[in-house]
């Protein structure tokens, strides 16, 4: 499973001009399932996200996780958006190939599983809409952008 994490001051996702998911300070995860992925990769991705210490502490060091964003026990938001283009392969020319992405049925099932797990373990979760034409708006914080891959 491939992920791209961005720290955000705020983020929202729209479909057809309507906001369907929105968070304040926290983390935006763009995520793509790969053909060999199972629910285990969704579980590992969430575990990594919730524990990833990439938010600044009072000394300005990346030492806080999503679960303790402000240092006072207030968690940050998590916006999860499916993005099959993270599996793009551009080695064969100028037009990317997306054969590295899971088939749509598997991708949807793993995205839904990741979302369900996240909603059960974190209080502030919002989501995009799998397979839809989405517009993602964000104010990147830092900027901090980190690629993740779990196997």
């Amino acid at each position: 499973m491939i992920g791209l994490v961005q720290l955000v001051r705020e983020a929202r996702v729209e479909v057809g001009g309507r906001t369907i998911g929105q968070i304040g300070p926290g983390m935006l995860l763009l995520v793509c399932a790969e053909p060999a992925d199972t629910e285990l990769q969704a579980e590992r991705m969430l575990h990594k996200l919730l524990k990833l210490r990439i938010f600044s502490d009072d000394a300005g060091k990346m030492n806080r996780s999503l679960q303790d964003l402000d240092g006072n026990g207030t968690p940050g938001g998590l916006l999860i958006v499916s993005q099959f283009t993270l599996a793009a392969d551009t080695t064969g020319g100028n037009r990317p190939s997306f054969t590295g992405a899971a088939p749509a049925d598997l991708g949807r099932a793993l995205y839904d599983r990741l979302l369900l797990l996240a909603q059960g373990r974190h209080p502030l979760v919002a989501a995009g809409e799998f397979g839809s034409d989405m517009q993602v708006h964000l104010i990147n914080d830092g900027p901090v952008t980190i690629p993740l891959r779990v196997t």
Side-chain angles (χ1 to χ4, degrees):
M1 188 168 273
I2 305 167
L4 185 70
V5 174
Q6 294 183 299
L7 296 192
V8 297
R9 294 201 178 178
E10 61 184 58
R12 74 180 189 278
V13 61
E14 298 177 353
V15 173
R18 183 178 51 92
T19 298
I20 62 167
Q22 182 172 347
I23 61 168
M27 184 183 289
L28 166 64
L29 171 68
L30 303 173
V31 64
C32 174
E34 297 174 282
D37 287 346
T38 66
E39 289 186 5
L40 180 60
Q41 282 72 39
E43 176 73 35
R44 287 178 177 165
M45 179 65 76
L46 181 63
H47 180 77
K48 187 71 166 176
L49 285 172
L50 295 180
K51 301 290 183 186
L52 197 60
R53 295 180 358 184
I54 57 175
F55 293 92
S56 296
D57 64 14
D58 294 335
K61 295 186 184 230
M62 287 184 171
N63 207 22
R64 290 193 175 132
S65 72
L66 188 64
Q67 296 173 320
D68 54 13
L69 173 61
D70 72 356
N72 295 316
T74 302
L78 175 59
L79 177 58
I80 302 174
V81 177
S82 63
Q83 188 169 351
F84 76 92
T85 60
L86 290 175
D89 179 359
T90 59
T91 58
N94 294 324
R95 185 176 185 185
S97 167
F98 300 106
T99 58
D105 289 347
L106 177 60
R108 179 184 303 273
L110 292 175
Y111 174 77
D112 289 346
R113 180 66 179 154
L114 177 63
L115 187 56
L116 184 66
L117 289 169
Q119 290 167 334
R121 295 187 194 159
H122 193 71
L124 303 170
V125 177
E129 187 174 277
F130 186 91
S132 292
D133 180 18
M134 296 176 279
Q135 289 70 51
V136 180
H137 305 262
L138 68 133
I139 298 176
N140 196 296
D141 193 7
V144 174
T145 303
I146 297 177
L148 291 178
R149 178 170 249 138
V150 294
T151 57

